[in-house]
Amino acid sequence: MPKKAKPTGNGKEEESVPCKQVKREASGRPSLLNFDSPSSLFESLISPIKVETFFKEFWEQKPLLIQRDDPSLAAYYQSLFRLSDLKSFCNQGVYYGRDVNVCRRVSGKKKVLNKGGKAHFLQLRKDFHQKRATIQFHQPQRFKDELWRIQEKLECYFGSLVGSNVYITPAGSQGLPPHYDDVEVFILQLEGEKHWRLYSPTVPLAHEYSVESEDHIGTPTHDFLLKPGDLLYFPRGTIHQAETPSGIGHSTHVTISTYQNNSWGDFLLDSISGLVFDTAKEDVALRSGMPLRMLMVETPAVATRKLSGFLRTLADRLEGRKELLSSDMKKDFIMHRLPPYYVGNGTEMLEPAFSILGKKLPRLDSIVRLQFKDHIVLTVGPEENQSDEAQQKMVYIYHSLKNLRQTHMMGKEVETEAYGLRFPLSHVDALKQIWSGSPIPVKELKLHTDEEKENLALSLWTECLIQVV
């Protein structure tokens, strides 16, 4: 069915804007978000765009704007975060820098107007109205249940951390100068309106954040107005700036971001060290010493050729590798992601939803099934806290059931702990049986003894990773 032309933010018809203009879709009346599964949540988030179309035409390629005219959806978006929410959050205790920033664009730069210590609502309101400052609230999913619910499902969908920031900007003001980010960005307009301008990337799929001078970014490729219920997506590296128009009150939007440090390059850096370690134990050439004084001079051509040969050897070994690939990225993701959403305050580990109290223990004659699969990773790696000579391969299971919601995406200064289990490498086939997701009798697990089978099931059950069916 052909798409109808829709006016842009500046009143022009879609056909009259450049071919790079952000795509617009007439949505009709989209339903509210569907939380039945991670995929259904994402599908409803970008409705009416089809998921296949999104990843084929837009993901990591170009922006997408979905403009909607649905009062019920606009009201739902508004419930995600309001300016009035700040008062109750301040009463709970929020701090400048960690939880909230007060800022404004001044002479092409970001000027931070933070006080110090604990933020008070009256002071925030004063800076908002008198200094025309933007209030940037960090990681609101720690406070707002519905954002926790959305972002937890999106982390399951993307397999990557999903953070968020709320920006509340008064009329006639702009909080940030033109810049680009190192994350995939989804903007949900919650309150009021915001005027957005996007520009061609200078660094496609950028790996870092950077402020750009307005003298060097050229003319906008996209120019539009976001209204409550609208959604905007753009890839990392997209240069952007936004301001609240005069005379409309204030604007509130939430930026939901993902895929930071989640590229093939990142995965290669993460995986290559373990592969080199394993290969060097079997290939004497990798254990032979470098030429004398090589670290003190420019790398000679013969050394470059030698390294190229080693890389070809590693590539051959990687293609023939059958065991699970060890990856610190997996562990880091699970350690820092949100726990599963449940009705509660999210500040205590192992709420009743994940309790084993009163539940049937697995026995040899039991049938068990994996649960919370989206919150668990299975990997193989060397035994920790052992010398290189004594290291044995182990199977590690990490999960996020005990993670704390209030520390989500709060940076390296927050202490986090990896929760999970480890088993001998001989258990890997039995674990893969369970990881298939289908119910399986304990007695059919691929282990040598009935005692090992029952102990494996009991260990997983104690961590709430399996259930008896």
Side-chain angles (χ1 to χ4, degrees):
M1 180 180 293
K3 305 299 182 185
K4 295 181 179 179
K6 187 175 180 66
T8 65
N10 55 15
K12 298 179 182 179
E13 292 294 322
E14 184 175 6
E15 285 85 347
S16 67
V17 298
C19 61
K20 288 187 178 181
Q21 176 65 29
V22 65
K23 185 169 182 176
R24 290 160 164 74
E25 295 290 342
S27 65
R29 292 187 63 82
S31 61
L32 298 183
L33 301 184
N34 182 343
F35 291 93
D36 289 346
S37 68
S39 57
S40 65
L41 182 277
F42 185 70
E43 183 178 358
S44 64
L45 184 69
I46 65 169
S47 174
I49 296 292
K50 299 300 183 183
V51 172
E52 298 80 6
T53 300
F54 175 78
F55 284 103
K56 182 179 179 181
E57 298 184 13
F58 299 99
W59 177 254
E60 294 190 329
Q61 298 173 66
K62 61 183 180 181
L64 166 68
L65 172 64
I66 301 176
Q67 292 181 311
R68 299 165 170 139
D69 184 16
D70 185 342
S72 62
L73 187 62
Y76 170 74
Y77 271 28
Q78 185 182 42
S79 72
L80 297 178
F81 200 107
R82 299 180 176 91
L83 174 61
S84 58
D85 289 329
L86 287 175
K87 185 174 183 179
S88 64
F89 297 157
C90 286
N91 290 337
Q92 295 177 48
V94 297
Y95 292 83
Y96 287 106
R98 186 192 72 179
D99 302 302
V100 66
N101 276 335
V102 178
C103 57
R104 184 175 180 180
R105 175 188 172 178
V106 177
S107 301
K109 297 182 180 180
K110 175 183 176 180
K111 184 175 182 180
V112 178
L113 306 173
N114 289 353
K115 305 302 180 185
K118 189 174 180 180
H120 298 280
F121 177 69
L122 292 179
Q123 183 63 54
L124 289 176
R125 189 171 64 179
K126 180 179 179 181
D127 290 339
F128 182 77
H129 290 295
Q130 295 185 6
K131 297 183 178 180
R132 319 304 297 161
T134 289
I135 299 173
Q136 179 187 20
F137 197 93
H138 301 151
Q139 310 305 336
Q141 70 276 7
R142 297 174 295 139
F143 296 84
K144 296 290 287 188
D145 287 354
E146 195 68 2
L147 284 173
W148 171 21
R149 190 183 183 197
I150 291 170
Q151 290 174 233
E152 180 261 329
K153 277 286 191 290
L154 290 177
E155 286 186 333
C156 293
Y157 184 78
F158 287 112
S160 177
L161 294 175
V162 175
S164 66
N165 283 318
V166 164
Y167 297 86
I168 309 173
T169 304
S173 184
Q174 181 171 335
L176 302 176
H179 66 280
Y180 60 78
D181 299 299
D182 58 347
V183 287
E184 300 296 299
V185 170
F186 296 85
I187 306 289
L188 281 62
Q189 185 67 23
L190 310 183
E191 294 182 306
E193 300 177 357
K194 201 137 198 190
H195 176 206
W196 284 82
R197 285 169 287 171
L198 310 182
Y199 305 80
S200 296
T202 53
V203 183
L205 300 182
H207 208 259
E208 59 185 3
Y209 167 93
S210 180
V211 173
E212 291 286 287
S213 169
E214 196 141 15
D215 296 334
H216 299 127
I217 59 178
T219 57
T221 56
H222 314 100
D223 191 315
F224 51 86
L225 200 65
L226 275 189
K227 298 181 180 181
D230 292 349
L231 180 142
L232 167 67
Y233 158 80
F234 52 81
R236 53 194 187 277
T238 302
I239 302 169
H240 56 280
Q241 61 177 326
E243 62 182 345
T244 303
S246 300
I248 65 164
H250 68 273
S251 164
T252 304
H253 77 264
V254 60
T255 297
I256 297 177
S257 59
T258 190
Y259 256 60
Q260 185 178 50
N261 300 329
N262 209 50
S263 68
W264 280 112
D266 295 307
F267 190 67
L268 183 62
L269 288 171
D270 182 58
S271 305
I272 198 72
S273 60
L275 183 61
V276 171
F277 182 85
D278 291 344
T279 305
K281 290 200 295 186
E282 300 178 15
D283 190 340
V284 68
L286 277 169
R287 302 198 302 272
S288 62
M290 297 185 299
L292 297 178
R293 300 175 60 82
M294 197 178 99
L295 299 179
M296 302 174 66
V297 297
E298 186 176 347
T299 305
V302 64
T304 301
R305 289 195 296 272
K306 192 84 169 177
L307 289 174
S308 297
F310 287 147
L311 289 174
R312 282 188 283 271
T313 298
L314 293 173
D316 291 339
R317 285 186 60 89
L318 182 60
E319 289 186 358
R321 195 174 180 131
K322 295 182 179 180
E323 67 183 45
L324 296 169
L325 187 65
S326 176
S327 171
D328 286 338
M329 287 177 68
K330 294 181 180 180
K331 181 179 177 181
D332 182 78
F333 169 51
I334 288 295
M335 282 178 60
H336 295 98
R337 64 165 302 185
L338 284 163
Y341 173 81
Y342 55 89
V343 178
N345 60 21
T347 60
E348 297 180 7
M349 294 186 294
L350 283 181
E351 288 286 331
F354 311 131
S355 174
I356 62 175
L357 297 177
K359 296 182 180 179
K360 188 177 179 181
L361 275 72
R363 298 298 186 189
L364 189 63
D365 59 352
S366 300
I367 298 176
V368 298
R369 180 171 56 198
L370 188 70
Q371 60 180 354
F372 302 113
K373 184 175 182 179
D374 288 334
H375 285 266
I376 315 167
V377 295
L378 183 67
T379 187
V380 171
E383 187 172 6
E384 298 174 354
N385 303 319
Q386 297 291 325
S387 65
D388 289 347
E389 293 78 9
Q391 277 187 342
Q392 299 291 324
K393 287 291 182 65
M394 303 290 290
V395 185
Y396 289 91
I397 297 170
Y398 299 107
H399 65 80
S400 60
L401 303 191
K402 299 179 184 178
N403 288 5
L404 296 179
R405 171 188 174 192
Q406 71 263 28
T407 63
H408 183 243
M409 299 294 289
M410 292 308 291
K412 299 296 184 182
E413 68 275 6
V414 177
E415 291 188 10
T416 55
E417 181 179 351
Y419 298 103
L421 302 165
R422 67 176 183 176
F423 298 97
L425 191 59
S426 59
H427 284 51
V428 69
D429 289 336
L431 288 165
K432 287 181 178 179
Q433 287 178 280
I434 297 173
W435 251 247
S436 71
S438 301
I440 182 170
V442 174
K443 61 184 176 184
E444 292 184 10
L445 294 175
K446 294 180 180 179
L447 288 168
H448 296 300
T449 68
D450 290 345
E451 182 181 12
E452 285 182 316
K453 297 173 184 179
E454 196 168 88
N455 285 342
L456 173 59
L458 186 59
S459 296
L460 296 173
W461 178 84
T462 303
E463 287 286 300
C464 302
L465 304 183
I466 62 171
Q467 59 183 171
V468 179
V469 298

